[in-house]
């Protein structure tokens, strides 16, 4: 039996690849999320029009669109497992933490792929001033890590409830709020030329706190058949 | 495989009550009892899928007690609640399982196991296209993936045709010589294969409130 | 000042009602526990 | 029974004191009266959330359903006090600044706690098996435990603060007429006593419910 260290690394890699292949085969999650992001973007920009002079409104709108796209799709990796009753198989081949890390990284890649499409469209549709790419990408990166960490943990919990995905938005919102607040504030600061250090530190601290908590909590998540 | 004062309740219904035993592999053990007497519960507890309300189980491999936290490393489990990813083929499912467990030669190993349960020809088929009998064989292939010291089978004969049952019987007899095999079953033929037995109490579902 | 007294009276009334309700609730819980 | 009678008289006495005896805070004028009840309610909200989270962590460690009863009761009562605190806060904001809601730090923090309570109780209502409900609710409670400090101390600082910090800072020191401080802490104590009494009642109800379900056993579990 392989030692636990390297093998859980291999398990995470195997699970990540499986998640990507499942997503590629069914393509259900990505299509839904992209459609969701683009439609909510289009409707906001239609309603609000061009906002080149209001970085605070732009920052808020960008993150509302991204947050709701995330809320609509990040629970999917766990809900799919419980609906397909494949959680037993998962638990027999990997430790809870390895399962969670595999899915967390997948959710992270998922978020990035949504943003690759939504961000350029947003900047174009809303006529946003050119962003300070360094600061903006740093904020996006850290916010994505925190979002993925929080969403994966909450998804693992609600996937085992009666309503499954239905509860995800409401239950995860308080946990996602600090990420939303810091991301909006940071995005606004980068557009108005202010330093973004404080927001980056906050996002990093929250991501670390969540990851630390998850390492302790994932063992308690799957204990009954 | 050793159990001490195992007790478990589903919500408020006592299913396992102060059950203790110790079985030495290799050999075949039948877990028998009426419906609802906790056969499946016991198998799931031994597989580390279910945390009991009381008591504990310890698996000794080569004389050393293994941590019950990652019990799944040491056992092969096949039960009705084990489902596979419908969007993947049988071979892909097994290969993924082998990779996740960090086993050597995952693809080759999976092909060997498919041959062993008579699914060699169906490896390329998507799981949702398999009949329930073939899906049951796939579960057996999964359980045998890394030659575990302990094999836990919950009603392995389900959905199998005669030819399938025949293959299952020879498989159990063969594996019984190499490792400890515990089978939860009410099927006479499977029960007959077992050298030892665990009779679960008659209290089960029939017990009046 | 008189406005305050009215509000105070209402506050005292609400507190009295709440207290009475809790006492009755406690009695019901006590006999539920016996059964 | 003496304890109950003492609680009755204590809170009644200090209600009277708050309206008759205590002076007004300079800037706030008559609106101070609301604060004598708003801030103790907010305090109990935080106390109950802490109580619920501690018992959730204890449940994860010890797996004793007693902790789950305590955590659930604390959340239910905490939600009620949180609603009282939010409403009284909004009334006070209306009196002070003419707007029921203007996202100042105190209001946003209490509102976030309301969100957490609501999410926790919604999660509980969506799970049937007692052990699983206790376990998953406890895990969510632990997650919320991590996000509360960020919600309370960080997020409000990001939004422009309207609250007159120097005069009344409930978490900081209360530096004006001593009589105000006396009334304020007395009501705080009274509310805390009330909370623990209702908490014990709710837990006893939960225990009875659990035992009744158990006695019904598997026979006719609805």
């Amino acid at each position: 039996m392989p030692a636990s260290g390297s093998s859980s690394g291999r398990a995470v890699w195997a699970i990540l690849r499986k998640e990507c292949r499942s997503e590629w085969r069914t393509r259900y999650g990505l299509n839904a999320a992209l459609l969701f992001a683009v439609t909510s973007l289009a409707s906001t920009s239609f309603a609000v029009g061009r906002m080149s002079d209001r970085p605070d409104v732009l920052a808020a709108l960008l993150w509302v669109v991204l947050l709701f796209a995330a809320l609509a799709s990040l629970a999917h990796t766990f809900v799919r497992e419980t609906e397909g009753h494949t959680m037993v198989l998962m638990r027999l081949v990997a430790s809870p933490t390895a399962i969670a890390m595999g899915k967390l990284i997948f959710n992270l890649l998922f978020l990035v792929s949504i943003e690759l499409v939504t961000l350029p469209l947003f900047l174009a549709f809303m006529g946003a001033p050119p962003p300070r790419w360094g600061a903006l990408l740093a904020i996006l990166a850290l916010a994505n890590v925190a979002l993925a960490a929080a969403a994966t943990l909450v998804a693992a919990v609600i996937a085992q409830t009666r309503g499954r995905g239905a509860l995800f938005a409401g239950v995860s919102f308080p946990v996602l709020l600090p990420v939303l607040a810091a991301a909006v504030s940071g995005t606004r600061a980068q557009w108005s030329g202010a330093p973004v250090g404080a927001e980056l530190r906050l996002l990093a601290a929250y991501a670390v706190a969540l990851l630390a908590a998850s390492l302790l909590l994932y063992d308690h998540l799957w204990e009954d058949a | 495989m050793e159990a001490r004062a195992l007790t478990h309740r589903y919500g408020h219904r006592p299913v396992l009550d102060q059950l203790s035993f110790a079985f030495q592999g290799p050999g075949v053990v039948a877990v028998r009892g009426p419906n609802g007497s906790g056969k499946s519960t016991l198998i799931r507890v031994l597989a580390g899928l279910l945390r009991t309300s009381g008591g504990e189980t310890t698996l000794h491999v080569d004389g050393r007690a293994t941590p019950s936290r990652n019990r799944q490393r040491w056992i092969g489990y096949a039960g009705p609640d084990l489902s596979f990813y419908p969007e993947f083929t049988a071979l892909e499912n097994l290969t993924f399982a082998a990779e996740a467990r960090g086993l050597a030669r995952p693809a080759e190993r999976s092909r060997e196991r498919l041959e062993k349960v008579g699914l060699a020809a169906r490896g390329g088929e998507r799981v949702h296209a398999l009949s329930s009998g073939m899906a049951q064989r796939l579960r057996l292939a999964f359980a045998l993936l890394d030659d575990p010291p302990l094999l836990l089978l919950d009603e392995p004969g389900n959905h199998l045709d005669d030819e399938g049952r025949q293959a299952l019987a020879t498989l159990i007899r063969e594996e019984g010589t190499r490792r400890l095999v515990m089978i939860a079953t009410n099927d006479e033929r499977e029960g007959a294969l077992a050298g030892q037995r665990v009779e679960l109490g008659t209290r089960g579902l029939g017990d009046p409130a | 000042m008189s406005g305050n007294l009215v509000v105070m009276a209402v506050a005292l009334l609400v507190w009295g009602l709440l207290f009475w309700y809790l006492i009755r609730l406690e009695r019901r819980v006590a006999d539920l526990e016996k059964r | 029974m003496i304890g109950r009678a003492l609680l009755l008289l204590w809170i009644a006495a200090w209600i009277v004191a708050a309206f008759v005896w205590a002076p007004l805070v300079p800037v706030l004028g008559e609106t101070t009266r609301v604060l004598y009840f708003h801030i103790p309610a907010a305090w109990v909200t935080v106390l109950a959330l802490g109580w619920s989270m501690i018992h959730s962590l204890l449940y994860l460690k010890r797996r004793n359903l007693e902790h789950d009863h305590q955590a659930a009761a604390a959340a239910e009562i905490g939600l009620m006090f949180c609603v009282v605190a939010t409403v009284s806060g909004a009334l006070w904001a209306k009196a002070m600044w003419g707007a029921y809601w203007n996202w100042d730090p105190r209001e946003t923090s209490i509102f976030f706690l309301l969100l957490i309570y609501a999410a926790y109780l919604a999660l509980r209502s969506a799970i049937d098996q007692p052990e699983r409900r206790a376990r998953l609710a406890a895990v969510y409670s632990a997650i919320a435990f991590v996000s509360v400090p960020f919600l309370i101390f960080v997020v409000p600082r990001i939004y422009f603060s309207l609250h007159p910090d120097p005069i009344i800072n409930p978490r900081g020191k209360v530096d004006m007429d001593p009589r105000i401080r006396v009334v304020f802490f007395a009501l705080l104590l009274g509310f805390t006593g009330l909370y623990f009494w209702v908490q014990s009642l709710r837990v006893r109800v939960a225990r009875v419910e659990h035992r009744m379900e158990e006695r019904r056993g598997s026979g006719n579990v609805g």
Side-chain angles (χ1 to χ4, degrees), chain B residues 2 7 16 37 69 77 107 112 133 159 182:
Chain B
E2 186 194 347
T7 48
L16 296 178
S37 58
R69 249 175 60 76
Y77 169 84
E112 282 159 24
H159 310 299
M182 296 184 75

Side-chain angles (χ1 to χ4, degrees), chain B residues 85-129:
Chain B
Y85 293 100
E87 67 266 21
F88 291 158
T89 67
L91 184 60
E92 281 168 346
N93 268 287
L94 287 186
T95 313
F96 158 67
E99 281 160 2
R101 290 183 79 149
L103 304 178
R105 304 178 291 104
E108 248 171 272
R109 172 191 296 274
S110 305
R111 251 179 241 104
E112 282 159 24
R113 297 304 181 280
L114 285 175
E115 266 147 42
K116 195 164 195 170
V117 294
L119 279 179
R122 304 287 180 144
E125 257 176 64
R126 291 277 172 92
V127 164
H128 57 68

Side-chain angles (χ1 to χ4, degrees), chain B residues 9-184:
Chain B
R9 283 188 314 279
Y10 267 130
H12 306 290
R13 189 163 60 79
V15 174
L16 296 178
D17 208 354
Q18 298 294 344
L19 180 67
S20 297
F21 57 72
F23 290 107
Q24 179 80 23
V28 181
V29 177
V31 177
R32 299 171 55 77
N35 291 345
S37 58
K39 295 198 299 300
S40 300
T41 307
L42 175 60
I43 294 289
R44 278 205 289 267
V45 166
L46 297 180
L49 290 173
L50 190 60
R51 181 182 174 131
T52 61
S53 320
E56 59 199 19
T57 63
T58 327
L59 176 63
H60 302 269
V61 175
D62 310 330
R64 262 183 313 94
T66 61
S68 62
R69 249 175 60 76
N70 40 31
R71 170 72 50 81
Q72 89 266 8
R73 281 188 191 296
W74 314 94
I75 56 107
Y77 169 84
D81 56 348
L82 177 63
S83 317
F84 294 91
Y85 293 100
E87 67 266 21
F88 291 158
T89 67
L91 184 60
E92 281 168 346
N93 268 287
L94 287 186
T95 313
F96 158 67
E99 281 160 2
R101 290 183 79 149
L103 304 178
R105 304 178 291 104
E108 248 171 272
R109 172 191 296 274
S110 305
R111 251 179 241 104
E112 282 159 24
R113 297 304 181 280
L114 285 175
E115 266 147 42
K116 195 164 195 170
V117 294
L119 279 179
R122 304 287 180 144
E125 257 176 64
R126 291 277 172 92
V127 164
H128 57 68
L130 295 180
S131 73
S132 49
M134 284 188 274
Q136 180 60 21
R137 293 181 190 214
L138 185 57
R139 292 194 186 101
L140 294 172
F142 168 78
L144 292 162
L145 256 182
D146 65 351
D147 296 325
L150 170 62
L151 204 53
L152 296 164
L153 307 177
D154 187 359
E155 292 171 0
N158 277 2
H159 310 299
L160 290 182
D161 51 26
D162 289 342
E163 189 260 338
R165 283 187 192 288
Q166 208 49 31
L168 175 65
T170 46
L171 188 123
I172 292 174
R173 211 172 290 115
E174 229 176 68
E175 294 304 329
T177 60
R178 280 205 289 273
R179 63 192 97 257
L180 179 58
V181 180
M182 296 184 75
I183 308 173

